[in-house]
Structure formats: C-alpha cells, structure tokens
Amino acid sequence: MTTVNKRDVIVVGAGPVGMIAGLALQKKGISCVVIEAEEKDAPRAGSRAIFLHSASLKLLEETSQGLGFELAKNGIIWPIKRTLFRGKEVYVRNYGITNNQDTTKLPHFTSLHQHHIEKIIYDACIAAGVEFVYGEPAKNLDIAKDGVKLTTASGDVWEADYVIGCDGARSVVREQAGIEFEGPRTHDTFLVVDIEEDENDPMPVERIFHYQHPAMGRRNVMYVPFKGGLRVDLQLLADDKVEDYTSEEGLKEWLPKVMDPKYAERVTWVSSYRFHQVVADSFTDPNCRILLAGEAAHLFAPFGARGLNSGVPDAIIAVRGIEQAIQAKNEEERRQAIDAAATERRIAAKWNRDGSTTALHHLQGESKEMNLKRELAASLVSVVPTLGRWLDEGPYGPKFGPPELTTKY
Ligand SMILES: Cc1cc2nc3c(=O)[nH]c(=O)nc-3n(C[C@H](O)[C@H](O)[C@H](O)COP(=O)(O)OP(=O)(O)OC[C@H]3O[C@@H](n4cnc5c(N)ncnc54)[C@H](O)[C@@H]3O)c2cc1C
C-alpha cells in the first residue's frame, strides 16, 4: 500500500527560491517539506546570480535573523563604477571605502557567486530544521478544491493544502496547473565568463561597462567583480559565431584583449545565453492551491539583477499569503489571501520584465534612435555630465522597484 505523506505546504524545488520558501514556512511554524528532483550535492545548473540587492538582504534578514548579514559579509561591494564609450571614459563614481562587515546596517548590495549564496541559505535552512527530500522529481499534481496530491517520479505520494512551485524555468508545477509563460525571447547572444581572482595580484574592484570596446570590434563588454572572482559579459554581434568565442582557443584569442592575459588561464565558467523575457499568465491556479515563485514564475535577462532578487519576495510573499489563508475564517477569505499574493507578485514580475526590456533596448544595437542617443550622450558628457550618468545606468534599467505593496500582511 502507498504511504501518503501529509504536510501543510509542499515546496517543489530546492534552488535558492525553494529553500527561502521552506525557511520562511519553517520560521512561521507551518509544516512543510522541500522536494528536489536532483540528488543532494548534484552539480547546479550554470553560473548565475552574483548580485543581491539590499531589499533582498533585508527580507532575508527579517525571515531568518542573521541571514542577510551573513550574505553581506561573505560578498564584496565594489567601491568604483566606471563607464567607457569606444575606449573613452564617460562616467566614474567612487564611493570610497565600503564596509560589508558592518553588523548593524545592511549594505546596498552584496556580490558573491550563486553557489555561495545557496550554501549560506541551505545552512540557515538546516539550522532552522527545514525538511528536504532529494532525488524525487515531482511528476503529477492533482489539484482539487480542498488541497493538492503530488506524486513523485518514484511513486511517492504527498498531500498538502498548498504547493509553492519553485521548480525553475521548466516547472512541472506550472505545467500541471495549466499555467503558461507569456513573452518573447531576445535574439542577442551574450557570453558570460567567470574568472578566478589571482589573490596574490588582484584586479581593482570596479564594476566597468565598455560600450563598443575598441579592442573587441565594438562589442559591448561588462566586468562585474564578485567574491573571489570577476564576471565578464560580452555581447556578441548578430553575425558572430558563438563557438568562435566560447571555445578554448576562442577564449584565449579574445580575453587577453580585454584584460591581463594571465586570466585566460583562470576561466572557471563560460556560457552563451539568449534570454527569455517571460512572465506566467497567472501565479496561482483556479482553486488557489498553487503559488509560483522564482524562475517557475518568470524569466528575465540578468541586466539589473532582477531574477533572484524578485524570487526572494515571491517566496516570502507566497508564504505570507498561505499564512493568511490558513487563518482565514471562510473560503472567500482564504481564496482572497492566495489571490492577493499571486497578483502582487505577478504585477512585480511584469514591472521587472519591463525594467530588463528597457535595459536590453539600451544595449541592443538595432535601434537607430538609441544608437544615435548613446553616441550624442557620449560626445556631450564634458558639457552635460548627467549624460554620463545616463550612459552608466542604462545597461541595468530603471533603479526603482515595483509599486508599493498593496496587501498588508
Ligand atoms: C547569467 C545569469 C546571471 C544572473 N545574475 C543574477 C544576479 O546577479 N542577480 C539575480 O537576482 N539573479 C540573477 N540571475 C537569475 C537567477 O540565477 C535565478 O533567478 C535563480 O537561480 C532562480 O532560482 P530558482 O530557485 O527559482 O530556480 P532554480 O535555481 O532553477 O532552481 C529550481 C530547482 O527546482 C528543481 N526542480 C526542477 N524540476 C523539478 C521537479 N519536477 N521536482 C522537484 N524539483 C525540481 C531543480 O533541480 C532546481 O534545483 C542570473 C541568471 C543568469 C542565467
């Protein structure tokens, strides 16, 4: 006979967003399990987030005391940001010495590799007693009015009042709930190269953006430092052959043109991306038993670092919505609580997608109007310095976040 495991909430996926959902539920005393398809310690997909905003650190600190500060102190803050246009500096800002070891105030951001972020969140989960089940892909979800029955690939059955789908871009939860992604895919190809720092002779800790790098045939190049390394983003041109840049020989050819040649021997990751700009058409199902969070709910180009930074509030607001639903006095109130959380995060996701679309538009070379605007701005910075700031901020999109929370939790 099949044993049926029961919890108040099942979280599907133990990526960063699923772990945060599990942690937030556990801290609220709501019984939960986090079910993960891969075995524990299986290699994680790709090289991804390196930048966490202060808003994410604050939310994580509120969820689990010490977690925001732990992430801050394990990352770095770059004191200098610099922008060049065809080799000429058009903007520089030096914030002076920055302190990520302050134990009283969270910094504006922290920069560390996603593997490192996940390890710190996992440790907080273990300390809080979050239950994980590894190596069990969720396969089938029977979503009824009064709860969800989830069957894994090995035939294990789990029942819960709610499921938070944090199972990433190819989410089974999203698919089983009949929810679709809406939106385009970019046609520009970006290369992401991670480089290990030479601790004996480190690079200056500066975030640098080069529009039309002269040594790279006018391709855009961005450098973002993170703890222990540096990420180099190269935007390829429409006719470029990706393998010419990602192969070992290709890398050895172009990387020394944009940095000290020794770093060509210190590459830890290289990949090419064409990004999706998609948002789920609903963040819940008609029975209000499912909530989607993180990449199960949206995919954005990383310019402006909106992916994980919006996955954090997705998870935390999903948990707050479920907490309210559990306390609801009737079915209408219950549905309203779930619906409010889903709606709020969908509005935020669309806002974030618009933000990364603005950033992409700024970067792409296909709009004559934008090409002209950038060129004019670069030629006028000495007389209108604010244009330098516009050039500096453009690749990351608008700085302000989604509208104020409508729901009071
Ligand atoms: C190049 C790049 C740079 C980025 N930079 C940033 C950045 O600086 N800042 C930022 O905020 N974001 C950034 N992002 C985005 C960020 O990496 C993602 O938003 C984040 O990883 C999403 O986390 P997640 O937990 O939703 O999904 P994932 O990390 O994909 O985790 C999903 C988990 O679900 C599991 N799973 C899948 N299917 C099942 C199933 N059927 N059953 C059970 N488990 C399942 C998977 O194994 C996985 O463990 C970047 C992304 C890229 C590609």
Side-chain angles (χ1 to χ4, degrees), residues 150 174 214 258:
L150 182 153
R174 187 183 67 237
V258 298

Side-chain angles (χ1 to χ4, degrees), residues 12-18 35-38 44 47-51 114 118 136-138 166-168 172 192 231 273 275 293-296 302 305-309:
V12 182
V17 176
I35 297 180
E36 165 59 41
E38 300 293 331
R44 297 281 296 148
S47 176
R48 302 161 84 191
I50 50 171
F51 187 96
Q114 184 160 329
E118 290 182 10
E136 284 286 345
C166 307
D167 48 341
V172 166
V192 172
R231 174 161 298 171
Y273 294 88
F275 297 107
E295 288 206 337
R306 292 175 173 83
L308 182 51
N309 281 299

Side-chain angles (χ1 to χ4, degrees), residues 94-229:
N94 188 342
Y95 294 90
I97 295 164
T98 47
N99 178 9
N100 63 343
Q101 302 295 322
D102 190 337
T103 52
T104 57
K105 194 168 164 278
L106 288 165
H108 289 306
F109 67 89
T110 187
S111 190
L112 68 168
H113 202 279
Q114 184 160 329
H115 298 312
H116 204 167
I117 297 173
E118 290 182 10
K119 168 80 173 69
I120 292 170
I121 299 172
Y122 177 77
D123 289 347
C125 286
I126 294 304
V130 176
E131 180 189 4
F132 288 94
V133 172
Y134 286 96
E136 284 286 345
K139 191 173 173 203
N140 189 66
L141 274 80
D142 186 359
I143 310 164
K145 283 208 158 93
D146 58 351
V148 185
K149 189 166 116 184
L150 182 153
T151 311
T152 66
S154 70
D156 282 1
V157 179
W158 294 81
E159 283 181 1
D161 292 336
Y162 299 97
V163 166
I164 310 182
C166 307
D167 48 341
R170 293 193 181 88
S171 170
V172 166
V173 177
R174 187 183 67 237
E175 179 255 314
Q176 292 276 299
I179 301 170
E180 304 270 348
F181 266 155
E182 292 174 341
R185 189 179 186 195
T186 63
H187 35 84
D188 301 71
T189 304
F190 294 86
L191 238 65
V192 172
V193 182
D194 284 350
I195 285 158
E196 191 188 2
E197 182 54 284
D198 175 359
E199 279 168 13
N200 298 319
D201 177 22
M203 296 170 260
V205 186
E206 297 185 9
R207 191 277 281 143
I208 304 174
F209 192 90
H210 274 269
Y211 288 95
Q212 304 182 14
H213 199 302
M216 284 308 297
R218 300 201 166 171
R219 291 165 185 83
N220 293 336
V221 186
M222 175 167 72
Y223 307 76
V224 185
F226 59 88
K227 180 69 181 271

